[in-house]
Amino acid sequence: MKKVIVTGGTGFIGSHTVVELLQRGYDVVVADDLSNSKASVIDRIAEITGEKPILEIIDLSDRTACLRFFKMHSDADAVIHFAAAKAVGESVLHPLHYYRNNLDSLLYVLEGMEKAGCRKLVYSSSCTVYGQPEHLPVTEDTPRQPATCPYANTKRVSEDILADVVHGYEAGKQKGTLEADYKPWKILALRYFNPIGAHPSALIGELPNGVPNNLMPYITQTAAGLRPCLQVFGDDYDTPDGTPIRDYIHVCDLADAHVAAMEYMDKGGFEGMDYFNLGAGHGYSVLEVIQSFERSTGQKLNYKIAGRREGDIEQIWADASKANRLLGWKAKRSLDEMTLSAWKWQESLSKTI
Ligand code: UD1
């Protein structure tokens, strides 16, 4: 069984990916500081899969702790690095925390991997690196834009760090300075669009701390009566109904893509770094997401149109054909499946908490 280290494996995308990996026969070690998740997620994963992954509670931006962790798990075959802080507004208020947390941890993970001789990495990047693109849909060659907030900048800089690591490896190979048995670096940066939805078991899902920043948990919490009203941030954009458009992707489709990425790295011929857009390839407006929620759950949602949110882009969706072509992966689940599964998860939370 191949052992995979999943950092941030108790988080939203991480937990769904761990489920998929376990169900495909991987051996999983989760590293998480539980700063935005709960240890009980591990029990939920065990309930779904019948396998309980090891959980190491660790702050990866603590170099000593991180290197010790990699030494303990030096038999790992690959790493999927989700662990990071991701709230746009919070990153504006606490930039130093974001840079330290997201960048230090990446540097120490890479150092730990280098020392352990484990050089296969799947990195969680984001469509945020594209900013507001000129042409839609965006391909992986669409130019990246200067970041609009510290969070977005950590994703951009992280991609650059990874490219430099691979470049350093390639330069060493050319100069013949690497040891004969040096394993090549294989890095995939996956640029996620807007992941929503939850596992069909409703045992795991998104668990935002406090007031949600993102659309889907705000919708489900409003429908559950935890928030009085959803504010739709702007209906005066240059889109068919005036509300912004995003490429929403079911978190289980995203989890599948990580397994496809792992398999791709094992295929002969791949080394170095590559980038993949992970989106459904369709754009939906905020109002369309609300309509889908109302249709799939049979509930009316209380919402009102409010002013634009600072820093929001107007519209973006992915050309995900490269992932389809090379990873053999495609998003399968519909928007209604996304909104309904998110609601079932919210309902299960109301029952258990
Ligand atoms: C943002 C980040 C993205 C990050 C993601 C996860 C940017 C530009 N985007 O995505 O990189 O990965 O968060 O944290 O950095 N909306 C409302 N009312 C609400 C909440 C949202 O109308 O209460 C609207 C927004 O205006 C937007 C859409 O819903 O049009 C989606 O918003 P959200 O879920 O926050 O995701 P993004 O801003 O696209």
Side-chain angles (χ1 to χ4, degrees), residues 245-267:
I245 292 175
R246 298 286 184 276
D247 186 334
Y248 296 93
I249 173 167
H250 197 298
V251 67
C252 292
D253 278 330
L254 210 49
D256 289 343
H258 288 76
V259 177
M262 297 286 292
E263 289 167 356
Y264 180 71
M265 287 195 296
D266 284 334
K267 274 194 193 153

Side-chain angles (χ1 to χ4, degrees), residues 7-9 31-33 60 80-85 101-102 105 123-124 155:
T7 76
D32 206 305
D33 67 356
L60 296 165
I80 306 183
H81 183 47
F82 291 105
N101 192 55
N102 292 6
S105 59
Y123 175 71
S124 299
K155 292 293 161 190

Side-chain angles (χ1 to χ4, degrees), residues 66 165 191:
C66 183
V165 165
R191 292 173 174 161

Side-chain angles (χ1 to χ4, degrees), residues 219-232:
I219 289 179
T220 57
Q221 290 197 8
T222 304
L226 301 171
R227 315 268 156 220
C229 180
L230 169 79
Q231 297 188 61
V232 173

Side-chain angles (χ1 to χ4, degrees), residues 99-171:
Y99 286 116
R100 188 187 59 78
N101 192 55
N102 292 6
L103 296 181
D104 282 5
S105 59
L106 177 66
L107 293 176
Y108 302 146
V109 164
L110 289 167
E111 192 180 343
M113 290 178 71
E114 172 68 38
K115 288 199 161 100
C118 163
R119 303 199 184 92
K120 264 192 257 172
L121 173 70
V122 175
Y123 175 71
S124 299
S125 190
S126 165
C127 68
T128 195
V129 298
Y130 297 119
Q132 176 60 67
E134 260 180 58
H135 303 289
L136 289 166
V138 289
T139 71
E140 291 77 2
D141 297 326
T142 296
R144 298 182 312 167
Q145 306 272 348
T148 50
C149 66
Y151 157 74
N153 208 25
T154 64
K155 292 293 161 190
R156 189 187 159 94
V157 173
S158 293
E159 285 193 353
D160 292 344
I161 290 171
L162 294 171
D164 286 343
V165 165
V166 165
H167 185 249
Y169 156 69
E170 283 164 351

Side-chain angles (χ1 to χ4, degrees), residues 214-224 230 286 289-290 293 301:
N214 298 113
L215 179 63
M216 198 65 237
Y218 211 105
I219 289 179
T220 57
Q221 290 197 8
T222 304
L230 169 79
V286 175
V289 176
I290 294 171
F293 178 82
L301 186 77

